[in-house]
Amino acid sequence: MPSYDAIIIGTGQAGPALARRLVTAGRKVAIIERKLFGGTCVNTGCTPTKTLVASAYAAHAARRAAEYGVRIEGAVNVDMKAVKARKDAVVAASRDGLERSLRTLEGCTVYEGHGRFVAEKKVAVNGSELVADHIFINVGGRAAIPSIPGLDRVPYLTNSSMMDIDFLPAHLVILGGSYVGLEFAQMYRRFGSEVTVIELSPRLIPREDEDISRAVADFLKAEGIDVRVDSKVVGVEKQGNSTAVTVESAGKRLQVLGTHVLVATGRRPNTDDLGLDRAGIATDARGYIQVDDQLRTNVPGVWAMGDCNGRGAFTHTSWNDFQIVAGNLLDNDPRRVSDRITAYALYTDPPLGRAGMTEAEVRKTGKPALISTLAMERVSRAYERGETRGFMKILVDRDSKRILGASFLGLEGDEVIHCVLDVMYAKAPYTVMQRAMHIHPTVSEFVPVMLGELKTLQ
Ligand SMILES: Cc1cc2nc3c(=O)[nH]c(=O)nc-3n(C[C@H](O)[C@H](O)[C@H](O)COP(=O)(O)OP(=O)(O)OC[C@H]3O[C@@H](n4cnc5c(N)ncnc54)[C@H](O)[C@@H]3O)c2cc1C
């Protein structure tokens, strides 16, 4: 029975980095991958979607070229085969590089197959049973498929199968108006598809503040996306070459006819076929592996990192999980999940960069707070670039002067948010940034300006 110091199940965003750290520390490691090296981020998540978003942006910019004095003769056409080929090349470079680095990592054995616990410290893969004192689970998640009558009888797409598309869907109907759904919605609209987004909640991206949801809905609608909120999908059926999606809204039923349906209604962890019961590893009701602040499961010597532990749903949270585990295990550095500050982006154009609490969350605390908002129309860089949609919002604790959160919906919002994030990590008062001299002309130069215009949050 092959014996290792550590077994890592899954090559998501945490596992491979941990494998490298462990072998450097002299440990004998086995790493198991059942499908594509690099997992969701590299193959069906961040990397391909941001590559596709870049193609969509190029098409959008080409259509707006005349506004900038640039003449393009004839119509702007998108070659979907070329778009996919570009995406595939970027993904392949990343995936192959990762696979090569693992296969050539001395002290690390790569197993290709489905790993499954057969006992506390024993994992079966391809008919072999591997044992180790330390086991790290990094199995990620997949699209959750809602139980909608008829959905199992029609062809539908998920973020994974979207990656195989090399043609233009005539009408893409997207179930789910949150982060994943909206990125695909704008991208396919810009490629040239008709796009309808159907969202159950009264507004898009319901976890964000209402003003953010409204602004995002406005610019998506302005691009010609049909946004239906407060709309419950109650049935799906094939009608000739189309798929009919029956929607219930405001007490009425209506049908949306699309050529393709994308299901983007949430994610679920890949823990259902992992033999967790054989190892006695506890999960919550939704299948997320329960972990403590240092990512230890209830079974000593077993950790869970990344999306499968339900403590984050991003590449950077999974990477941070790796840092927490490595810090505690190898560096005598007691890092904790609770040390991190919420941060993420929505990669529409313009993007939304988020840090810390939303305005609604700040209000819920009941603490006295200050707020400042600034329309992107006031930002000279955005004006010069002709991209003035959106606004920035920042919230500060009135008494401690610490920044509580920010939502930057606008040009470079996903980058600019980091100047706020770093001041939050430094636990410095906002006045530090208010007095800082930022570079002109940038979007970031307006963050100190905003901090000089704080008002009481009513
Ligand atoms: C469309 C989309 C866009 C996204 N965009 C962003 C973004 O822009 N920024 C961002 O931060 N996040 C983004 N995310 C989220 C991000 O992709 C995930 O949070 C991240 O990939 C989580 O990584 P992970 O380490 O948990 O595991 P994953 O990347 O999911 O990898 C898990 C790996 O484990 C393997 N595996 C599973 N079970 C087993 C088993 N039993 N045996 C062996 N191997 C197994 C899987 O095959 C997979 O390779 C996006 C997600 C989606 C769906």
Side-chain angles (χ1 to χ4, degrees):
M1 191 177 295
S3 164
Y4 294 90
D5 296 315
I7 298 170
I8 299 169
I9 311 174
T11 64
Q13 291 304 301
L18 185 64
R20 265 175 237 122
R21 281 299 317 274
L22 288 167
V23 298
T24 308
R27 313 278 169 94
K28 192 177 158 201
V29 175
I31 191 162
I32 309 172
E33 174 52 56
R34 70 175 178 189
K35 207 170 172 198
L36 298 171
F37 285 80
T40 311
C41 174
V42 169
N43 298 287
T44 61
C46 335
T47 304
T49 53
K50 270 78 252 182
T51 308
L52 293 168
V53 162
S55 290
Y57 182 80
H60 178 70
R63 289 189 195 105
R64 290 187 64 203
E67 291 175 40
Y68 296 82
V70 177
R71 301 260 166 259
I72 294 177
E73 302 301 335
V76 173
N77 290 308
V78 178
D79 175 350
M80 289 301 288
K81 284 199 169 21
V83 166
K84 178 176 180 290
R86 177 176 181 275
K87 182 269 292 175
D88 287 345
V90 173
V91 168
S94 187
R95 180 177 57 230
D96 297 350
L98 176 73
E99 180 173 354
R100 208 175 314 118
S101 75
L102 283 173
R103 289 196 187 281
T104 53
L105 187 62
E106 218 170 301
C108 178
T109 307
V110 175
Y111 289 86
E112 267 188 273
H114 183 98
R116 193 178 285 109
F117 281 89
V118 287
E120 261 193 19
K121 296 296 169 70
K122 201 184 284 178
V123 176
V125 56
N126 301 336
S128 305
E129 288 189 347
L130 322 181
V131 289
D133 278 342
H134 289 168
I135 300 183
F136 305 92
I137 307 169
N138 181 213
V139 292
R142 61 184 187 275
I145 306 303
S147 53
I148 296 170
L151 190 59
D152 54 345
R153 293 191 295 278
V154 299
Y156 62 82
L157 297 154
T158 65
N159 67 292
S160 300
S161 47
M162 282 301 284
M163 297 302 136
D164 300 328
I165 289 198
D166 65 355
F167 58 89
L168 191 68
H171 185 174
L172 181 64
V173 180
I174 302 178
L175 313 189
S178 205
Y179 308 91
V180 171
L182 297 188
E183 287 182 16
F184 279 114
Q186 190 181 42
M187 166 199 314
Y188 271 83
R189 181 67 196 134
R190 289 177 170 193
F191 289 151
S193 297
E194 289 296 317
V195 175
T196 303
V197 175
I198 303 173
E199 168 58 44
L200 180 64
S201 308
R203 55 194 177 85
L204 298 179
I205 35 171
R207 248 172 280 158
E208 305 302 332
D209 287 330
E210 280 183 36
D211 49 2
I212 296 284
S213 293
R214 211 177 312 120
V216 170
D218 285 349
F219 70 66
L220 293 179
K221 285 182 197 166
E223 289 194 25
I225 295 170
D226 183 1
V227 175
R228 316 265 181 111
V229 293
D230 230 338
S231 298
K232 185 175 181 189
V233 178
V234 291
V236 183
E237 62 183 356
K238 204 85 197 115
Q239 276 187 16
N241 288 335
S242 302
T243 302
V245 178
T246 306
V247 176
E248 213 170 64
S249 186
K252 286 193 193 127
R253 279 195 174 201
L254 50 93
Q255 275 196 336
V256 179
L257 274 188
T259 53
H260 296 80
V261 172
L262 165 63
V263 178
T265 48
R267 309 278 300 164
R268 59 177 291 192
N270 290 327
T271 53
D272 37 349
D273 190 16
L274 199 52
L276 294 178
D277 49 336
R278 301 279 297 270
I281 297 168
T283 61
D284 68 11
R286 295 165 66 210
Y288 289 99
I289 299 171
Q290 291 188 313
V291 288
D292 66 12
D293 211 15
Q294 292 175 318
L295 303 168
R296 294 176 291 210
T297 69
N298 61 311
V299 173
V302 181
W303 288 256
M305 308 177 293
D307 286 12
C308 68
N309 64 26
R311 303 292 291 268
F314 300 99
T315 283
H316 45 276
T317 46
S318 181
W319 174 259
N320 187 247
D321 283 358
F322 143 67
Q323 293 177 313
I324 290 167
V325 170
N328 281 285
L329 206 62
L330 303 170
D331 303 331
N332 198 24
D333 180 1
R335 297 180 69 159
R336 299 258 187 299
V337 178
S338 50
D339 293 338
R340 68 189 178 206
I341 298 167
T342 301
Y344 57 88
L346 162 70
Y347 290 93
T348 45
D349 169 34
L352 169 68
R354 284 271 303 108
M357 285 190 262
T358 61
E359 181 183 333
E361 287 167 343
V362 171
R363 284 182 189 282
K364 234 180 254 171
T365 66
K367 283 201 218 154
L370 307 174
I371 186 170
S372 182
T373 56
L374 186 120
M376 290 303 289
E377 278 151 1
R378 271 186 67 194
V379 175
S380 35
R381 184 65 186 275
Y383 196 65
E384 290 146 11
R385 286 264 295 260
E387 300 187 25
T388 53
R389 294 177 305 180
F391 66 96
M392 299 193 280
K393 166 158 68 172
I394 194 160
L395 290 126
V396 164
D397 184 299
R398 189 195 63 189
D399 300 332
S400 70
K401 294 192 167 32
R402 296 258 189 91
I403 297 173
L404 297 171
S407 301
F408 289 174
L409 177 67
L411 179 69
E412 320 287 14
D414 53 326
E415 293 289 348
V416 180
I417 198 73
H418 288 92
C419 65
V420 173
L421 195 58
D422 290 344
V423 172
M424 291 174 79
Y425 273 111
K427 298 184 169 52
Y430 77 84
T431 44
V432 170
M433 190 159 42
Q434 188 199 346
R435 294 165 68 93
M437 182 185 74
H438 282 191
I439 299 167
H440 173 76
T442 60
V443 180
S444 303
E445 72 179 322
F446 277 84
V447 183
V449 173
M450 289 172 76
L451 291 170
E453 297 176 354
L454 287 164
K455 293 190 174 58
T456 301
L457 179 68
Q458 300 294 345

